[in-house]
Amino acid sequence: MPQDLSTRSSPAALLIPEPRAGRARHAACVLLAVCFVVLFLIGEPLMPITYRACTQLAALQLGVLLKGCCCLAEEIFHLRSRHHGSLWQMLCACFPPHWHLALLLVGGSAYLDPQEDNGHSPRLALACLCQLLVLALGLQKLSAVEVSELTESSKKNVAHGLAWSYYVGYLKIVLPRLKECMEEISRVNPMLRAHHDTWKLHILVPLNCDIWDDLEKADSNIQYLADLPETTLTRAGIKRRVYRQSLYMIRDKDNKPRPCVLEFASPLQTLYAMAQDECAAFGREQRLEQARLFYRTLRDILGSSRECAGTYRLIAYEEPAEAESHFLSRLILWHLQQQQSEEYMVQEELPLGTSSMELSLQVSSSDLPQPLRSDRP
């Protein structure tokens, strides 16, 4: 299999964003230390520096307090619908924690300089004026990086919700029964037993969110074979709701067929549709970012699910710049070969006398998504 194919499907090569590690705060601490060193080398007296630092700190905290007052003017009209009629809940949502107010009181005392204008310095009023001007002009908006970090850390982005919905509403239901379904269908198709090591649900995750409804039209080397036995469940008021997967034959360059349970990650269709609808205000860049976050979130969810271990294979990829008629089938075959080699390596490393149950557990734990490199040891 060509090396560029493995590169396109490797999570490292696909540049899947990982969670931010708080380096911005570490950088702030380093810069703070540098400032202290510079002030020490300059030889400024301690008291004037402390006084000026307190005034600046008070100005910043005053801005937070004034911003809360402005938010309160809006939230008072949503007291019942957003805060369940609780005045205290509304105040907590608008104003910062108590330690912010403590800093404001400590720093604000520096504005009352008894040596200037008999303790009636106008600088406190000027600080309020500047902060309100900043708020009125909308100059205190969060940067794109801050918004991204906030939504990711609080797990409130679109991709997070889609991944959890996909897992709870579908994968958590069908994956634990997948081996049983494959056993049942293999009685009708005995040739499936020769490929027991790839009895998994292969989930295609195109990062451009371009999904084919008919896989046979996407690649002529992918041919529908049969449906797996249905999983029937009464759910959310729907009687006897049916869940099922499709079994395909993937043909290689020698026309040799390989069975594979295959489907696209359907939530990506939602991302694609949102990018096409003006009402969603969801551009192409947001779609691409959310697709990567969807893959990362789904990978982490499934990786921590014991009941789904060893029953799935995530295949994230980017479409080639130039159209290739059999790119998808080659990609899937590459993953099937990777699974065979992983299974073979696990069996070689097993000590003598290992039970089949222990073998199953070891194979499942090794099935977490790995960088798809052909030169992996």
Side-chain angles (χ1 to χ4, degrees):
M1 191 62 58
Q3 180 65 25
D4 65 333
L5 186 60
S6 62
T7 302
R8 285 187 204 136
S9 61
S10 167
L14 292 174
L15 301 177
I16 303 299
E18 295 299 328
R20 292 181 173 89
R23 297 182 183 88
R25 179 171 293 185
H26 297 160
C29 294
V30 172
L31 292 175
L32 181 63
V34 171
C35 290
F36 276 120
V37 171
V38 170
L39 291 173
F40 176 78
L41 294 177
I42 291 176
E44 286 284 338
L46 181 61
M47 288 305 296
I49 290 178
T50 304
Y51 171 77
R52 292 169 189 168
C54 285
T55 56
Q56 293 297 325
L57 181 63
L60 294 174
Q61 299 305 315
L62 185 63
V64 175
L65 185 61
L66 291 173
K67 185 177 181 180
C69 292
C70 296
C71 292
L72 184 63
E74 171 65 33
E75 293 303 303
I76 195 69
F77 293 96
H78 306 280
L79 179 61
R80 293 189 178 278
S81 61
R82 293 181 181 270
H83 305 287
H84 310 290
S86 172
L87 185 62
W88 175 250
Q89 183 177 336
M90 180 183 66
L91 292 174
C92 292
C94 293
F95 292 98
H98 301 297
W99 63 272
H100 278 280
L101 298 178
L103 287 175
L104 176 62
L105 292 175
V106 173
S109 62
Y111 278 94
L112 302 177
D113 186 0
Q115 297 180 358
E116 185 176 345
D117 297 334
N118 297 322
H120 300 288
S121 174
R123 285 175 295 171
L124 188 61
L126 289 175
C128 292
L129 177 65
C130 291
Q131 291 293 342
L132 289 172
L133 185 62
V134 168
L135 292 172
L137 296 177
L139 303 178
Q140 212 173 32
K141 293 181 179 179
L142 297 176
S143 67
V145 172
E146 290 174 307
V147 172
S148 175
E149 183 175 9
L150 183 62
T151 54
E152 287 186 41
S153 60
S154 61
K155 302 187 186 302
K156 293 178 180 178
N157 52 60
V158 175
H160 189 85
L162 288 176
W164 270 103
S165 177
Y166 186 46
Y167 169 71
V168 175
Y170 178 65
L171 295 179
K172 191 177 181 180
I173 298 171
V174 302
L175 287 181
R177 290 198 65 247
L178 187 70
K179 303 285 187 181
E180 179 184 340
C181 292
M182 290 300 295
E183 285 284 356
E184 186 174 339
I185 198 174
S186 66
R187 299 189 189 105
V188 182
N189 298 276
M191 54 87 62
L192 295 176
R193 296 189 177 277
H195 304 280
H196 187 277
D197 51 346
T198 57
W199 282 11
K200 301 176 183 178
L201 178 60
H202 298 77
I203 305 172
L204 298 172
V205 187
L207 297 181
N208 63 355
C209 302
D210 191 5
I211 289 179
W212 290 78
D213 290 325
D214 191 340
L215 274 167
E216 292 179 302
K217 293 181 179 179
D219 192 320
S220 59
N221 283 345
I222 303 176
Q223 297 176 357
Y224 170 80
L225 179 63
D227 286 333
L228 267 62
E230 298 176 348
T231 299
T232 305
L233 185 68
T234 297
R235 188 174 178 87
I238 303 174
K239 293 289 186 179
R240 296 177 295 278
R241 186 170 185 173
V242 175
Y243 301 85
R244 67 166 175 261
Q245 299 74 47
S246 296
L247 180 65
Y248 290 88
M249 283 296 180
I250 317 297
R251 297 190 177 275
D252 58 19
K253 59 182 180 180
D254 299 323
N255 206 33
K256 181 180 178 182
R258 290 288 305 273
C260 178
V261 183
L262 187 65
E263 63 185 53
F264 282 102
S266 57
L268 294 180
Q269 285 183 316
T270 302
L271 289 177
Y272 190 85
M274 289 175 67
Q276 305 300 315
D277 195 324
E278 294 181 359
C279 296
F282 201 73
R284 179 180 179 275
E285 292 302 321
Q286 288 93 339
R287 184 192 75 195
L288 297 176
E289 179 187 11
Q290 292 299 314
R292 286 170 167 80
L293 291 176
F294 170 82
Y295 169 77
R296 188 189 82 190
T297 306
L298 185 61
R299 178 197 65 189
D300 295 343
I301 293 172
L302 290 173
S304 61
S305 174
R306 291 186 178 181
E307 54 192 338
C308 296
T311 61
Y312 68 93
R313 180 88 174 190
L314 293 178
I315 304 178
Y317 65 93
E318 290 180 337
E319 292 283 353
E322 297 182 1
E324 299 180 22
S325 58
H326 299 302
F327 166 76
L328 198 55
S329 59
R330 289 171 53 234
L331 176 65
I332 297 167
L333 287 169
W334 186 84
H335 275 270
L336 295 176
Q337 292 173 2
Q338 285 290 105
Q339 291 174 82
Q340 278 190 322
S341 62
E342 290 168 6
E343 177 89 1
Y344 179 75
M345 289 166 58
V346 169
Q347 289 180 351
E348 276 195 334
E349 294 172 0
L350 284 176
L352 293 176
T354 302
S355 67
S356 59
M357 178 61 71
E358 293 172 334
L359 173 60
S360 175
L361 291 174
Q362 293 190 39
V363 172
S364 297
S365 63
S366 68
D367 189 53
L368 299 179
Q370 303 287 337
L372 307 176
R373 295 179 53 188
S374 58
D375 58 344
R376 189 169 57 184

